[in-house]
Amino acid sequence: MVGSSYQAKCFLGISLDGVTPETNDIVRGKGSFDKTMHNLKIMSEKGVRFTITFTVNKHNQHELEEIVPLALQLKAKSLNINFIEESGRALDNKTLYRDEILNIPEVKKKIKTLQEKYPLKIEITDNHGLASTEEDIKKIRDKKDNIICSAAFSVLALDSSLTAYPCIYGMNRREKRIPGC
């Protein structure tokens, strides 16, 4: 479990892409929902500061209304909502992010409604928001193999087994994990 020294210094970013195993595990892998929920409940009880990142795809977009109350129940400090991109596990299932299946403008309207309705900090996040220069934004648009993020300055990412990574864009890349965490 995360030690008390991390509680004061780190703000953990946890990916939860559904409010049920059926929707979350499509992208995150079989069994990841149950593991993640177990770990989120422990972190909540221990007072660990964390944010939930919900990546919208065609299978979970209908759960936007349900993820916010769940984040509040788990005592998340915020909810980051982003849109699935052509990277990681999504490369194996291109139907998750095709524009004709995922209506991003409509989803953004729903998010705005949720921001007004709930007392939780809800933000739309994406690679472009993490880029600090026009050159970085161009690299992202050109789909270069870059990891551009807050890289352990403000968020530490954990997978469902509590393996730590400097950011969500290094998840499940063994060479990017943080030794000893």
Side-chain angles (χ1 to χ4, degrees):
M1 189 62 213
V2 179
S4 61
S5 64
Y6 282 102
Q7 289 181 20
K9 298 175 186 174
C10 289
F11 195 89
L12 303 176
I14 310 294
S15 292
L16 186 63
D17 294 338
V19 297
T20 66
E22 292 75 26
T23 51
N24 180 80
D25 293 1
I26 289 170
V27 176
R28 298 288 163 195
K30 187 177 179 179
S32 65
F33 178 82
D34 292 333
K35 288 180 195 174
T36 301
M37 288 300 294
H38 173 78
N39 291 327
L40 285 170
K41 288 174 184 172
I42 291 171
M43 288 187 283
S44 180
E45 290 167 6
K46 299 285 185 184
V48 175
R49 297 174 353 145
F50 64 91
T51 185
I52 292 175
T53 299
F54 182 82
T55 302
V56 179
N57 65 65
K58 84 165 195 171
H59 299 290
N60 69 4
Q61 62 186 332
H62 67 280
E63 293 184 345
L64 274 169
E65 293 279 341
E66 298 170 68
I67 193 68
V68 180
L70 180 59
L72 285 166
Q73 177 189 340
L74 292 167
K75 299 180 184 157
K77 300 301 178 196
S78 61
L79 175 64
N80 295 331
I81 300 174
N82 60 18
F83 298 96
I84 199 155
E85 296 182 13
E86 295 180 60
S87 63
R89 290 188 183 102
L91 288 174
D92 297 333
N93 189 349
K94 294 183 188 299
T95 64
L96 291 171
Y97 56 82
R98 288 192 358 236
D99 288 339
E100 66 270 18
I101 295 170
L102 183 60
N103 186 335
I104 293 175
E106 278 302 310
V107 173
K108 285 185 175 182
K109 284 182 192 175
K110 279 186 186 176
I111 294 169
K112 182 151 179 60
T113 302
L114 295 172
Q115 289 169 323
E116 294 167 357
K117 181 177 179 181
Y118 289 98
L120 181 67
K121 181 179 176 183
I122 302 170
E123 295 185 310
I124 297 174
T125 57
D126 62 16
N127 241 345
H128 301 272
L130 297 169
S132 58
T133 67
E134 285 299 318
E135 182 181 345
D136 288 343
I137 293 170
K138 182 178 178 342
K139 287 178 186 176
I140 293 167
R141 283 192 193 122
D142 293 343
K143 301 287 185 200
K144 300 275 194 288
D145 186 26
N146 291 293
I147 295 177
I148 299 170
C149 70
S150 54
F153 290 108
S154 62
V155 174
L156 182 67
L158 300 176
D159 66 15
S160 61
S161 300
L162 293 181
T163 301
Y165 298 86
C167 79
I168 61 171
Y169 296 104
M171 294 281 290
N172 302 309
R173 292 173 61 178
R174 187 173 174 84
E175 73 277 7
K176 300 293 182 190
R177 71 180 181 199
I178 298 174
C181 287

